Structure formats: structure tokens, C-alpha cells
């Protein structure tokens, strides 16, 4: 099948590219894991020196649609999106980020329910857990993070023995590989696995064995499972483009819940999806657990799509949506700059661009108008600096404490729910990578006329009075107001002081019994450019978080040093900032992490000692005490 060939060609190409990229990294750079089956069976986190850097420390947040609908595992079934992303090569993927902004970061978590880190190839490895910093960002937004098991077609390197090894069963009925998949997910703190079995010419009852494997996996864990429409019941690989009696046993088998997500292959038509919905109902399942695939790998938002099949009357029709390679917004960018990639993201998710195809003009409809955005903002305190997860620099309170580029999704903030629902003839709303109060980005509003800009969907109780802290600055004649829309229909509006430098307004919102703040936004008036650098909502001051003691391991090479930091207490809801003091005794930011173990590369050294500072910060933004320590450099 053409689709299978395309996947293999891309990932094999990645394998070649990865060896070149590896030369850019330090000798002690930790990498994300990947395995063949036999390697996985021999793996243990104790013997893998990089494992400690691959653990996500961020718990999966709960999310909601509106005042009354929470999106937990057993919530009512609604249409959703699963996004398969291949942000980097399978091999040589740094565990905790990059020293360049020209790497992919995802800003539209509010529209997806599952993130799959796509990867694997016959040259590198076929079992790929999600990288820890991707899981951190997904979990912060309430999105489940999924690893990939990819059995390639034989013509592109797939081997039947890999499937046989995967499905080995012990005499007691257990499956060793299933136990290992569960062990990895539990250790690395992600949420399940995507199984894509496209290797053909299998001998024996491999279809039956796969069903037994899935049943065992489900019985032994609460992990999620995503199944791709390729292998059918008799072990052959024949893409059905629908749910039917040849593949339904991988979705639901009698009373057994097999897969949480069934990813339908890309060649479907309207009848395929109508029949799939009917089949799901006959099995006692929701049609929204079926995800019709859209392949956007090569053309991103210029991909011709059967929108009339997927949408009807302004909402999803028959199935949910599965996106293959949605990180193509980065791939199609010529510059790979954050500004250009984010512009592509807005087109991809919000829709609108028209383009020519060989069959005539087409319009990309996107997803924001058809899927209600999810939100996690229902508990206090909530703080955001609109940090995109990368930056040309790092600022603290408007002061630059690092001039180096960085990329680390572990410290990406919860970004605006609406990006951006506003009349572009009145205001150009975007993310600025040139201005920042904290981190590497802020919100930018270039105003031409009065405009109202919704920013966050919230579910914040006013049973107690709240404080709202807003940090802004502006250029020109533009003024700003913050507004809070309440669940009773009332809107509270507060003016913000006009300032050419970062200024903090603190607003008190009186308590109102049984009333919620359901939306927070900004009103701009006049012409000019305004920046929003921080939004902080709280009802009481947080206790200062404890700053963990830590140990160091250093690796010196010529005039540079690599550094491993181990925090002696496991962080729970806490970041740690790491700095060193330069020759002028100025603090230079080295990184920020929620992890217990953190790697720092390429510190320039002139002496045999580096003076370090570490300070904790709660997820709510409260800073803890500073701990100083000297790093004695190994020679």
C-alpha cells in the first residue's frame, strides 16, 4: 500500500540524518530510548544510564469542555483528535530538549486528546516511547502521551521474526513483551502504546496471538492502546479503511475492551465511515472512539481533505479525526523560525487558507471551528507567562539572564485556549518571540481598532475572593483592559495601566457564591502594540516550595563542561532553575526542569570550579530558597 511505503521512506530517511545530528551533541548527552524486541526484553532502567533523564515527572491533568462537562476517562463520549507527530529522528533524540529554536514545539494541545510520538524504523528500532519533555507538555494540558510499536512492511525492512518475537507467550499465559511495555510506560510515566502492524507473510495464527496479547496487556494495566487499521483477523495485512468484521476484534471482542482508539486508514469514503459508526454501535462502543486518518505529512494545510465526509452541519460527522504527521507545520517552513512555524500552526488548526490542486481550488477548514477546545484551568493558583517552550533568550522579570537559544517543552506554559479568535482587521494577535517577561515569549497585540480578544477558558470558583495579577507593556496609543466573563452571563472589566516597560496590575475580584469565571480575555483600544507577559490568578499565597539538595557529575573537555544534576528529593509539582555565576558574579540561566535528573551541555569554563545556584519554583509560580554549590570540574 502506498501509505505504508511513505511511512517507511520517511523514517528510514530520518535514520540516516540522525548520525549527522549526533555530532552536534556532547559526549555525555542522554538520549530518548528506542529498541528492537530483543533489546527491549533485555532493558532495565537500572542498567540504562540514560533512563533517569527519560522520566516525565508531570501528572496527567484533568480537563473540561464547559462548566458542566469534565473530560475524564469515563466521561460522555465526544468527538476528538489524535495527533501522530514525528518531532525528531528515532535515534539521537536528546532526552530533555535542544540548544536551538529550530526544533518543533506544539502549541495547540487544547484540540487533541492523544499525542503519539511517531517513530521507529527497520534501521534504528521499532519500539519508541515518547520523549519525556513531550509527555510533560502533554500531561500539563491533560493530553495522553502514547508510544509507538511499528512493524514495517517487509519491502522496507520489516521482518516477520520481529512480530513472532513480540508475540511470544509463556506457558502461564503471560506475554513477556507486554510486561516490558507496561514496565517502560510505568517507569517513564506515559499513558499507553500505538500498535502499527504492517509486516506481511506471517505464518501461523498471528492474528489470534495478537488478540491474546492485547487481552493480556489490558488485563495487566490501565494503559491505553491505539490500534491501526492494517492487520486483519487472519494475520494478513489488508487495510480496510473502515471498522468491519475483519478488524473489529482488535477494537472490541465480545465483552473485552481491546483498543481505546481505532485509527482508520486514509482511503475511506462516506459509506466506509457510516458503516464504521454502525459497527461501533453494534459492539456497544461510541463512534467517537474511531478516528478517521488524515495524512498531512507532505503538504500540511495544503492537503486536499474530504471535509464533506468528516464534517456535517458544523461539527464532526460519524467519527473522530486522526492526524498523521501534524508536525508538518514545521517541516514545510523554509526558515524553521518559531515565528514562521507558529504562523503555519495557526493556519493548520484555525483553517482558512485556499490553495490550488490538480482538481481545482480547495480550502483548508482546520479544526478550531469544529472541535470545542479543552481546558485544564480549574484549580488555583494558575500562572502563565505564555512560554512557548523555546526561546532566543531567557528572561526573568523582563531582565535577560541567558542569551542562548533553548528548547524544552517540559517548561512550556498552558498556552491560550483561543489562538486567536479575533477580527484580524482590528488587531493582529500572535505570540511574540522577541519580547518576554518570564521565559522566551509573550502575547503580542498589534491594534488597529477596538477589539475584544478571548484568551483562556476557565472554570474558577468565586466562592472565595480572587486576586488577578497582569503584567503588560505597550508602544503607541493602545490601551488595555482585562475582562472576566462569569457563569451567570455577567462580565467584569478592569483597566490596565499604560506603560512602556513591564508593569504589574493587581486586581481583586470579590467573592460570589456559586459563580464561576468561565472566560478571561483582553480588550484593546486605540492603535499601537501591546504585550501580555504574565497572567497570575490566586486566592491565597502559596507556601514556598522546598528547594532540593543536589549532587553533581561533571565532564570536562578542553574549555567546555557537561553537567549532570541529580536532585535528592523527587520533585512533585516543582521546577528547579539552575544558574551559574559568571566572572562578574552575574547569574546566568542554564535551565529549568521538573525532572529529578537534568543534563546541561556546553558550559564554557576557564577555571576548575563553577559556582552554581539552584532555586525551586512551584507550578503556581512561587519561588523557594536558593541553594549554592561549587562544581569541581573533572579533568
Amino acid at each position: 500500500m502506498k501509505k505504508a511505503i511513505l511511512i517507511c521512506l520517511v523514517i528510514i530517511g530520518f535514520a540516516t540524518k540522525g548520525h549527522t545530528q549526533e555530532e552536534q551533541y556532547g559526549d555525555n548527552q542522554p538520549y530518548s530510548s528506542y529498541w528492537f524486541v530483543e533489546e527491549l526484553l533485555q532493558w532495565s532502567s537500572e542498567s540504562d544510564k540514560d533512563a533517569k533523564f527519560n522520566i516525565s515527572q508531570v501528572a496527567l491533568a484533568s480537563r473540561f469542555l464547559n462548566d458542566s462537562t469534565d473530560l475524564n476517562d469515563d466521561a460522555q463520549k465526544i468527538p476528538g483528535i489524535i495527533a501522530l507527530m514525528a518531532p525528531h529522528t528515532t535515534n539521537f533524540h536528546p532526552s530533555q530538549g535542544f540548544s536551538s529554536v529550530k526544533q518543533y514545539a506544539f502549541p495547540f494541545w487544547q484540540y487533541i486528546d492523544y499525542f503519539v510520538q511517531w517513530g521507529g524504523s527497520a534501521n534504528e528500532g521499532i519500539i519508541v516511547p515518547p520523549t519525556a519533555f513531550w509527555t510533560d507538555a502533554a500531561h500539563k494540558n491533560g493530553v495522553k502521551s502514547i508510544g509507538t510499536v511499528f512493524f514495517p512492511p517487509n519491502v522496507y525492512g520489516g521482518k516477520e521474526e520481529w512480530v513472532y518475537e513480540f508475540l511470544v507467550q509463556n506457558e502461564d499465559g503471560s506475554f513477556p513483551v507486554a510486561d516490558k511495555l507496561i514496565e517502560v510506560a510505568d517507569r517513564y510515566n506515559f499513558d499507553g502504546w500505538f500498535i502499527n502492524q504492517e509486516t506481511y507473510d506471517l505464518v501461523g495464527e498471528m492474528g489470534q496471538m495478537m488478540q491474546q496479547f492485547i487481552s493480556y496487556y489490558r488485563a495487566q494495566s490501565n494503559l491505553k492502546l491505539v490500534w491501526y487499521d492494517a492487520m486483519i483477523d487472519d494475520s494478513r495485512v489488508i487495510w480496510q479503511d473502515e471498522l468491519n468484521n475483519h478488524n473489529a476484534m482488535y477494537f472490541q471482542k465480545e465483552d473485552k475492551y481491546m483498543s481505546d482508539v481505532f485509527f482508520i486508514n486514509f482511503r475511506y469514503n462516506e459509506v466506509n465511515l457510516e458503516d464504521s459508526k454502525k459497527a461501533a454501535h453494534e459492539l456497544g462502543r461510541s463512534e467517537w472512539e474511531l478516528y478517521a486518518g488524515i495524512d498531512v505529512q507532505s503538504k500540511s494545510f495544503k492537503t486536499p481533505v474530504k471535509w464533506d465526509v468528516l464534517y456535517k452541519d458544523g461539527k464532526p460527522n460519524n467519527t473522530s479525526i486522526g492526524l498523521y504527521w501534524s508536525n508538518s507545520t514545521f517541516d514545510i517552513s523554509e526558515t524553521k523560525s518559531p515565528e514562521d512555524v507558529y504562523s503555519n500552526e495557526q493556519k493548520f488548526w484555525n483553517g482558512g487558507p485556499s490553495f490550488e490542486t490538480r482538481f481545482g481550488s480547495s480550502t483548508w477548514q482546520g479544526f478550531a471551528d469544529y472541535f470545542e477546545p479543552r481546558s485544564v484551568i480549574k484549580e488555583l493558583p494558575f500562572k502563565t507567562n505564555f512560554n512557548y517552550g523555546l526561546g532566543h533568550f531567557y528572561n526573568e522579570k523582563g531582565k535577560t539572564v541567558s542569551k542562548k537559544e533553548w528548547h524544552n517543552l517540559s517548561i512550556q506554559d498552558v498556552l491560550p485556549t483561543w489562538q486567536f479568535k479575533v477580527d484580524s482587521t482590528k488587531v493582529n494577535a500572535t505570540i511574540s518571540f522577541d519580547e518576554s517577561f518570564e521565559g522566551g515569549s509573550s502575547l503580542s497585540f498589534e491594534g488597529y481598532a477596538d477589539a475584544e480578544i478571548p484568551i483562556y477558558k476557565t472554570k474558577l470558583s468565586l466562592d472565595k475572593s480572587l486576586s488577578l495579577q497582569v503584567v503588560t507593556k505597550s508602544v503607541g496609543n493602545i490601551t488595555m483592559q482585562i475582562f472576566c466573563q462569569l457563569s451567570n452571563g455577567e462580565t467584569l472589566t478592569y483597566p490596565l495601566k499604560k506603560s512602556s516597560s513591564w508593569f504589574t496590575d493587581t486586581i481583586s475580584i470579590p467573592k460570589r457564591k456559586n459563580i464561576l469565571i468561565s472566560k478571561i480575555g483582553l480588550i484593546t483600544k486605540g492603535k499601537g502594540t501591546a504585550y501580555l507577559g504574565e497572567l497570575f490568578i490566586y486566592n491565597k499565597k502559596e507556601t514556598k516550595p522546598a528547594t532540593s539538595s543536589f549532587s553533581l557529575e561533571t565532564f570536562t573537555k578542553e574549555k567546555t563542561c557537561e553537567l549532570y544534576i541529580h536532585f535528592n528529593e523527587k520533585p512533585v509539582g516543582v521546577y528547579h532553575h539552575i544558574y551559574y555565576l559568571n566572572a562578574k558574579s552575574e547569574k546566568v540561566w542554564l535551565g529549568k526542569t521538573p525532572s529529578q535528573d537534568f543534563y546541561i551541555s556546553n558550559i564554557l569554563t576557564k577555571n576548575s570550579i563553577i559556582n552554581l545556584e539552584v532555586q525551586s519554583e512551584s507550578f503556581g509560580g512561587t519561588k523557594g530558597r536558593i541553594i549554592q554549590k561549587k562544581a569541581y570540574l573533572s579533568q
Side-chain angles (χ1 to χ4, degrees), residues 150-194:
F150 175 48
F151 296 102
N154 314 53
V155 68
Y156 286 100
K159 297 180 180 179
E160 299 96 313
E161 55 260 40
W162 292 341
V163 183
Y164 303 147
E165 291 168 354
F166 186 80
L167 296 176
V168 166
Q169 186 176 28
N170 292 330
E171 290 184 2
D172 63 2
S174 63
F175 287 84
V177 174
D179 289 333
K180 273 296 183 182
L181 292 179
I182 294 167
E183 178 187 343
V184 170
D186 288 345
R187 179 59 175 154
Y188 286 172
N189 187 34
F190 61 92
D191 306 293
W193 291 95
F194 183 117

Side-chain angles (χ1 to χ4, degrees), residues 210-276:
M210 183 66 80
Q211 293 165 48
Q212 292 179 42
F213 179 98
I214 294 172
S215 294
Y216 176 81
Y217 169 93
R218 299 311 301 250
Q220 298 301 311
S221 75
N222 293 318
L223 294 173
K224 301 299 179 183
L225 189 134
V226 181
W227 180 262
Y228 174 54
D229 162 30
M231 187 168 80
I232 62 173
D233 53 343
D234 64 5
S235 307
R236 290 180 295 168
V237 174
I238 306 176
W239 298 265
Q240 300 296 293
D241 308 306
E242 65 177 14
L243 180 73
N244 59 30
N245 61 347
H246 292 296
N247 56 26
M249 62 292 304
Y250 299 110
F251 179 56
Q252 180 79 24
K253 189 173 183 180
E254 299 173 348
D255 62 344
K256 289 185 178 179
Y257 201 93
M258 300 292 273
S259 56
D260 302 274
V261 170
F262 188 94
F263 195 106
I264 296 174
N265 189 50
F266 308 89
R267 300 176 302 183
Y268 50 79
N269 55 39
E270 187 170 9
V271 174
N272 291 138
L273 299 190
E274 288 173 349
D275 289 347
S276 297

Side-chain angles (χ1 to χ4, degrees), residues 50-94:
D50 289 348
K52 61 187 179 182
F53 299 100
N54 292 321
I55 300 169
S56 168
Q57 301 284 7
V58 179
L60 178 65
S62 63
R63 52 198 340 221
F64 64 93
L65 278 181
N66 51 46
D67 293 349
S68 59
T69 306
D70 282 312
L71 292 176
N72 299 318
D73 284 347
D74 299 322
Q76 69 182 65
K77 303 301 181 183
I78 58 169
I81 299 175
I82 185 171
L84 280 57
M85 304 184 203
H88 194 265
T89 61
T90 294
N91 59 1
F92 303 124
H93 190 165

Side-chain angles (χ1 to χ4, degrees), residues 288-323:
W288 306 126
E289 295 168 285
L290 309 176
Y291 291 70
I294 305 175
D295 175 10
V296 296
Q297 179 183 353
S298 60
K299 296 181 180 179
S300 193
F301 54 82
K302 293 185 179 181
T303 303
V305 173
K306 304 167 187 174
W307 298 113
D308 58 334
V309 175
L310 297 172
Y311 296 151
K312 187 175 182 180
D313 299 327
K315 58 185 179 181
N317 182 40
N318 290 322
T319 68
S320 292
I321 286 179
L323 296 174

